[in-house]
Amino acid sequence: DAQAAIDLIKGIFPKIPKWQSYIRDLAHRQGFLLSRYGGIRWFWSVKRWDAKQGREVAGDDAEAALAYPVQNNAFGKKRESMLDLAAGGLDEKYRMNNDIHDAAYFDCPNQYLDEAIHNIKQVMEAPARKLVNATFPNGLVISVDVKIGPSLGELKKVN
């Protein structure tokens, strides 16, 4: 069933397997991939020779090579947003106190809460300056959720 689903997706979106092959070949040939945000990751085994099959097959790093551009560009966009918050002094004003994986945490004084929700969301959802292409000519935009509460265990989503 899983292979049928994969084959269906590849049939609907034929550019996906071409892109995957391109990324794997590039990572194998160079030994690394460089993201648009300047992140680099080294790969030692994207492809390997299988003597039994008499051909190259996917190595231990094949899937990691495919995941790297998306993961690092997502991290780059978040870092870009964190730097924008700092440049505007919003990290200090709203007392940013932690940055874990895909979330930023603030201990915002109540007097700034409404403006903080608006301003932080606006910065986080600004178009990614380095992720511009024909599909996203002004930069990729990713929506974010805002949650507030007295503790991490009591956060509620803000609509």
Side-chain angles (χ1 to χ4, degrees):
D1 290 343
Q3 188 60 54
I6 291 169
D7 293 342
L8 176 65
I9 291 168
K10 287 180 178 180
I12 295 170
F13 304 104
K15 290 183 179 180
I16 290 175
K18 290 177 185 174
W19 178 84
Q20 290 174 330
S21 180
Y22 168 77
I23 292 296
R24 284 186 179 129
D25 289 345
L26 183 64
H28 176 71
R29 189 174 63 254
Q30 296 181 152
F32 69 91
L33 290 174
L34 186 65
S35 78
R36 292 185 187 188
Y37 283 92
I40 189 168
R41 179 163 175 188
W42 297 91
F43 297 98
W44 309 109
S45 179
V46 177
K47 296 180 182 182
R48 65 175 179 78
W49 182 258
D50 186 310
K52 288 181 182 178
Q53 296 183 44
R55 65 180 181 93
E56 275 188 327
V57 296
D60 292 342
D61 287 338
E63 294 304 312
L66 291 180
Y68 179 72
V70 174
Q71 291 171 337
N72 196 264
N73 285 330
F75 175 79
K77 167 53 180 142
K78 183 173 181 231
R79 185 166 187 263
E80 180 180 275
S81 295
M82 295 297 101
L83 291 170
D84 289 346
L85 287 169
L90 301 180
D91 57 342
E92 289 186 26
K93 182 175 183 179
Y94 305 137
R95 298 194 329 214
M96 182 177 170
N97 62 20
N98 211 343
D99 175 25
I100 301 173
H101 185 57
D102 64 350
Y105 295 95
F106 298 80
D107 185 21
C108 184
N110 286 336
Q111 69 198 52
Y112 298 128
L113 193 56
D114 288 336
E115 77 175 60
I117 290 168
H118 171 77
N119 290 340
I120 293 167
K121 186 171 176 63
Q122 185 176 34
V123 169
M124 298 297 292
E125 291 183 343
R129 293 185 291 274
K130 295 189 183 248
L131 301 178
V132 175
N133 60 29
T135 306
F136 306 103
N138 298 318
L140 177 65
V141 174
I142 301 167
S143 64
V144 299
D145 289 334
V146 176
K147 297 178 182 179
I148 61 171
S151 70
L152 291 179
E154 301 174 82
L155 295 177
K156 301 225 183 310
K157 187 175 175 180
V158 175
N159 292 321

